[in-house]
């Protein structure tokens, strides 16, 4: 008999393979940035970023963006028995928590605070005004949407999670593209490029999963 491969399994393998490559790449970058510069007696990274740079702004804003993605993934993980959704949530938790840790670590190495009084996305040339709904940046879920996700169960939770995460990832890709273009350090440029590839793959996977549930992104 010929084994039948589901589109979910094929898509999952593509995303997981991309995630493995990304984690290996950023892990190597993390090791490189952690090495003391031969030209510096302070032992700081060979490449550094200044306050007000795109690198610092990207690291701070994306760390916040990632934190909510991790939060939503933990929520849905406990509200569905569907293995595809739970695996996707697990992947997002591990990948984005790891990336968030690296970005905060680079800020520390650069001697910069992990937060800023500047509005989010200032480094992109955007002016963000408080919306009052809990969404700090484009793509982020509102307080009401998070409350709805926490109250949902089963298929309803799966669909809402996939829809919210698709919007979240699309905005994340836009931010990562800007980071790759504007950053002055290799570590941020490389990480941002990896984020674009990884999140675009997951957007495609989530579209397939929503279609299977009779829902739209």
């Amino acid at each position: 008999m010929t084994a039948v491969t589901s589109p979910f399994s094929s898509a999952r393998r593509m995303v997981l393979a991309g995630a493995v490559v990304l984690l290996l790449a950023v892990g190597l970058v993390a090791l490189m940035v952690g090495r003391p510069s031969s030209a510096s007696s302070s032992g700081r990274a060979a490449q550094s970023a200044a306050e007000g740079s795109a690198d610092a702004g990207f690291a701070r804003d994306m760390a916040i963006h990632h934190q909510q993605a991790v939060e939503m993934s933990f929520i849905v993980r406990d509200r569905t028995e569907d293995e595809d959704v739970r695996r996707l949530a697990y992947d997002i938790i591990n990948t984005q928590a790891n990336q968030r840790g690296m970005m905060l670590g680079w800020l520390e190495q650069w001697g910069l605070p992990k937060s800023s009084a500047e509005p989010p996305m200032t480094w992109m040339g955007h002016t963000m005004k408080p919306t009052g709904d809990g969404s700090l940046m484009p793509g982020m879920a509102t307080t009401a949407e998070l409350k709805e996700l926490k109250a949902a169960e089963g298929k309803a939770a799966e669909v809402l999670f996939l829809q919210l995460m698709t919007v979240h990832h699309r905005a994340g890709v836009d931010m990562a593209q800007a980071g790759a273009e504007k950053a002055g350090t290799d570590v941020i440029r490389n990480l941002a490029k990896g984020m674009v590839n990884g999140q675009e793959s997951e957007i495609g996977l989530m579209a397939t999963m929503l279609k299977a549930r009779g829902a739209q992104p």
Side-chain angles (χ1 to χ4, degrees):
M1 294 178 63
T2 301
V4 178
T5 302
S6 73
F8 295 109
S9 299
S10 178
R12 292 295 306 161
R13 284 197 295 271
M14 291 176 63
V15 172
L16 287 172
V20 169
V21 172
L22 172 60
L23 288 174
L24 288 173
V26 295
L28 178 60
V29 169
L31 288 174
M32 292 175 65
V33 77
R35 294 175 182 170
S37 169
S38 59
S40 172
S41 61
S42 66
R44 295 180 65 186
Q47 284 189 313
S48 188
E51 185 62 58
S53 66
D55 305 75
F58 174 85
R60 289 169 180 148
D61 287 352
M62 191 59 84
I64 294 171
H65 216 262
H66 272 21
Q67 180 60 32
Q68 190 185 71
V70 171
E71 179 186 357
M72 289 194 293
S73 298
F74 272 119
I75 292 171
V76 79
R77 187 196 62 174
D78 298 331
R79 281 157 178 77
T80 179
E81 298 299 325
D82 184 89
E83 287 302 317
D84 289 310
V85 174
R86 287 173 62 87
R87 287 193 194 100
L88 175 61
Y90 181 82
D91 290 345
I92 292 172
I93 290 168
N94 281 275
T95 300
Q96 297 209 10
N98 182 41
Q99 292 172 346
R100 182 175 185 273
M102 286 189 290
M103 290 183 287
L104 295 178
W106 288 330
L107 286 168
E108 184 173 348
Q109 288 189 31
W110 297 333
L112 301 177
K114 296 179 177 65
S115 61
S116 171
E118 291 288 334
M121 302 179 76
T122 301
W123 61 276
M124 291 178 65
H126 294 180
T127 300
M128 293 295 301
K129 295 182 180 180
T131 59
D133 60 4
S135 177
L136 301 178
M137 283 174 271
M140 293 186 69
T142 65
T143 301
E145 288 169 334
L146 290 176
K147 184 177 179 180
E148 184 181 358
L149 181 60
K150 291 176 182 177
E153 297 285 347
K155 181 179 176 181
E158 296 162 19
V159 169
L160 182 56
F161 168 77
L162 292 169
Q163 290 172 333
L164 291 176
M165 193 60 73
T166 296
V167 174
H168 201 278
H169 270 22
R170 284 172 179 163
V173 168
D174 289 342
M175 193 189 303
Q177 288 173 332
E181 293 169 2
K182 295 177 178 292
T185 62
D186 290 338
V187 290
I188 291 295
R189 277 195 299 268
N190 293 338
L191 180 61
K193 290 175 183 177
M195 287 179 185
V196 171
N197 294 332
Q199 293 194 31
E200 284 183 339
S201 294
E202 287 182 341
I203 288 170
L205 173 61
M206 290 188 289
T208 300
M209 296 171 76
L210 281 166
K211 184 178 180 180
R213 290 162 175 76
Q216 297 295 322

